Amino acid sequence: MAGSKCLLGVVVLLLCVELGYSTTVTFCANAATGAGTTEATNGQSCTTEVQQKACIRPTYGYTKDGNDIGEYTGSFTTWGCGAATCGATTPNCIQCNSPGTGCNSNDNLYSCPHYKHVNNVWALQTESGNTATVKCDPYKPSSDPQSSKVTTCVALTPDAAFNLLPSYDSQRSCNSPTAVTDASCTDDGKQCRTCTSGDACANLRYCKTGTATTAAAYGALPWYFCTTASAKCTRPVIVNGIPVDTAMKFGCLDENSATCTDTTKCSTCSTTGCNTWPAAGSDYVVKCYTWTWSDDKWTKSSSATACSTPTAGPLPTSCSLPKDRNTKDGFTAGGGCGACTTANAKTCLNTIAEKNSGYMPTASVLGILLLISLLF
């Protein structure tokens, strides 16, 4: 080829040094629908030296208030072989000369997971009716032809800062070279992570991370990405609104001191964001014996049963029983779940879970025992 020097190396490597450009293109797409590999598929054959420098097209992107399908935008609208000059006056002009043919075609766009920032939360648009992925441009506007493509994406935790994607309106979650300016958004970032493909981003695992002893405190914990996509999340077992062990942490298992070796104190799960604070009554529920008034005495149930979740007020974390089995007043029929009320403090006894079955001597029995002790 004119303007070339070709050297054949001992390892059978053909090294071509072009004067003015490093590679040549033979076909380019000449329309947005073109595959760019043959003229029959809206491709243009590049025949002159100037044309063979690059393929050209407008940039692919989005608008702030537009849909999430994306489009080729801007004042530059030319497609085909590189006979045009891209520069300051054509800021949306793409030039490429990647190996192969048709580097400016639709086929070279790549996909990233689609996020939307709604109510201060990043949400993946995986629900029916939404666009689950967005198409991304592997090239950026440049005055020189680009031979390499950038095909990375950005993944975000729900509570990641909005400014981590300063060009979101035009690029969505496509990690074009100008998309991410925050140093914390890297391939191992905690809340913003770059990925080598859309699938890699979609498979990332994140978990709530930190220590919390109330649902409100849990809500304030951050979501952090785990080191690997196969990592498990862990959290303390919540016994009716209270962690069994307040030292147990939320987080990615075996990361940031979040461990789980005693399953009576902690639990693990294997999906993204699964270590949530449990709904009332969904974790281990306190079990208590139930006491009923029958035949002028209190009688306990044959076994302890799970306490029901109240519609209001605190969840039960202990049990109770009547202090005097032969006195009806001062205890509630069918009771046993939860601590004694203040009003019944003198006629009711508190116990830990499943221990409210113990025999408590009545006043008459105590009198007999006292008489025996006096006689003997």
Side-chain angles (χ1 to χ4, degrees), residues 259-285:
T259 60
C260 183
T261 57
D262 185 348
T263 56
T264 66
K265 296 181 179 181
C266 58
S267 62
T268 61
C269 51
S270 301
T271 57
T272 293
C274 61
N275 63 336
T276 57
W277 189 272
S282 63
D283 249 24
Y284 170 73
V285 178

Side-chain angles (χ1 to χ4, degrees), residues 177-235:
T178 57
V180 178
T181 59
D182 193 286
S184 65
C185 197
T186 62
D187 59 2
D188 61 353
K190 289 184 177 180
Q191 293 190 295
C192 181
R193 186 165 288 192
T194 54
C195 329
T196 56
S197 69
D199 287 342
C201 277
N203 291 330
L204 289 176
R205 180 69 45 79
Y206 59 75
C207 310
K208 276 282 189 176
T209 303
T211 302
T213 57
T214 65
Y218 166 84
L221 294 179
W223 297 100
Y224 282 169
F225 283 115
C226 302
T227 301
T228 65
S230 60
K232 291 183 177 181
C233 297
T234 184
R235 65 168 174 82

